[in-house]
Amino acid sequence: MKEQEVNKARAVYYKIFSGFFVYLTDQSRYFELLSLLDIVKTNPLDNASGEAFTNIANKLQKDSNVALLQEYDDIFHNPHTTQVRTTASFYDEQVESGRKRVQMLDFLAKTKIRRDEKNYSEYEDSIGFVFAVLSELANLVADGQEQYKTVQHCIFADVLNEFVDEISRTIYEHEKADIFKDVIVALLSFMEFERLYLEVSRAKPKEFKKQEVNKEETISKEEMERRARNKAEKAAGAKKQDDVFITYDVESDI
């Protein structure tokens, strides 16, 4: 029973973090995020995360997600600020849609979970999607579907753990980070818990040769086209990345 409760709690934490790393335009999903924050801030993993969650709850508007969306845009999309990349592939190879995306696709093939391409345009190895998948897997394990223990361990060890420290550092140091500074404090605390729970060591930081590189050279044609579509959809008010960014295949999961 205790393990079931732990997995349910893990699912909640991953759902919270997916809420911060997915562009939530639906107010109902935002209000759900606020409700989940109220739960974890009174039952934190440690003092640091408890304080961080309290700070986040105090900074977020109670009746609107405008402040969160603005900071999200400033960190991840604004061309006038440092743009933080969100895919594991970028931190692995400094390219979008690389080996880590292929790994995620292979892991997802062992489940019924799929990316809902109509509602979620980011890649399968983007951090928000990875959080959402791990939340769903933790729920499935809690419900007795223990066949998913291995795949959740693999996704954490081989994908998320490989880049979560580096992306966290980049976000924490971002010139526009305020709410996200506390998000990172809470996230890193949870990552330490996950490493202990899943028995995974901290990944060694990757070293890349320092050289002057034109940003456009590191972006594939596919990625450039995807970003252009996102920009056009957002301008038209069509972009809506809510809690429906994962879907299920009708085929057998294993």
Side-chain angles (χ1 to χ4, degrees):
M1 186 66 171
K2 184 177 179 181
E3 185 174 356
Q4 181 186 41
E5 292 174 353
V6 169
N7 280 297
K8 287 292 185 183
R10 293 176 61 238
V12 169
Y13 272 87
Y14 275 122
K15 188 175 182 64
I16 288 173
F17 293 119
S18 72
F20 284 107
F21 287 91
V22 174
Y23 199 84
L24 292 178
T25 57
D26 185 342
Q27 289 278 20
S28 65
R29 310 319 308 168
Y30 178 72
F31 294 141
E32 181 183 20
L33 176 61
L34 294 180
S35 297
L36 292 175
L37 285 172
D38 284 338
I39 295 173
V40 295
K41 75 180 184 181
T42 56
N43 299 279
L45 291 172
D46 52 30
N47 292 334
S49 63
E51 182 178 351
F53 280 130
T54 298
N55 291 340
I56 294 168
N58 291 336
K59 290 177 181 179
L60 292 178
Q61 296 170 297
K62 305 306 178 187
D63 58 349
S64 172
N65 59 358
V66 171
L68 178 59
L69 292 185
Q70 183 60 61
E71 188 168 324
Y72 182 99
D73 274 337
D74 286 339
I75 294 174
F76 301 109
H77 295 303
N78 192 338
H80 301 295
T81 63
T82 305
Q83 293 185 53
V84 176
R85 306 290 185 85
T86 62
T87 63
S89 290
F90 179 79
Y91 294 91
D92 180 52
E93 304 174 76
Q94 294 190 311
V95 298
E96 302 287 353
S97 190
R99 289 188 298 249
K100 292 301 176 180
R101 185 187 180 195
V102 174
Q103 279 188 308
M104 274 299 293
L105 288 169
D106 288 343
F107 293 142
L108 291 174
K110 296 177 173 61
T111 77
K112 296 179 182 179
I113 300 172
R114 299 292 182 269
R115 177 169 65 95
D116 186 346
E117 297 182 11
K118 293 181 179 179
N119 295 290
Y120 187 71
S121 59
E122 304 296 333
Y123 291 137
E124 286 80 1
D125 64 333
S126 66
I127 194 167
F129 185 78
V130 173
F131 285 149
V133 171
L134 287 171
S135 176
E136 189 63 24
L137 291 174
N139 270 322
L140 291 171
V141 172
D143 290 339
Q145 299 190 51
E146 296 195 356
Q147 69 267 31
Y148 292 113
K149 280 187 174 182
T150 299
V151 70
Q152 75 163 356
H153 185 281
C154 291
I155 290 175
F156 180 83
D158 297 340
V159 181
L160 182 59
N161 188 54
E162 291 291 309
F163 80 114
V164 69
D165 286 345
E166 182 61 20
I167 190 175
S168 294
R169 180 191 63 78
T170 305
I171 293 171
Y172 191 87
E173 295 176 354
H174 195 277
E175 64 268 27
K176 292 292 185 178
D178 179 21
I179 298 168
F180 272 87
K181 280 187 180 292
D182 288 303
V183 171
I184 294 305
V185 171
L187 173 60
L188 291 180
S189 177
F190 178 56
M191 290 297 96
E192 286 306 306
F193 170 84
E194 283 290 88
R195 289 179 180 120
L196 288 172
Y197 182 76
L198 298 172
E199 299 181 343
V200 175
S201 299
R202 182 189 298 274
K204 294 181 180 180
K206 293 210 174 262
E207 295 183 3
F208 298 102
K209 292 182 179 179
K210 292 185 177 181
Q211 54 184 342
E212 291 296 323
V213 178
N214 186 329
K215 287 185 179 180
E216 295 297 326
E217 294 177 351
T218 67
I219 302 175
S220 66
K221 182 179 179 181
E222 179 187 9
E223 170 66 5
M224 291 175 68
E225 291 174 349
R226 183 186 68 81
R227 292 187 180 192
R229 287 196 304 272
N230 286 352
K231 186 175 181 180
E233 290 171 357
K234 187 175 176 183
K239 186 170 183 180
K240 193 174 184 181
Q241 295 178 356
D242 302 327
D243 205 31
V244 290
F245 51 92
I246 60 175
T247 185
Y248 290 87
D249 197 319
V250 296
E251 301 297 332
S252 174
D253 57 324
I254 300 295

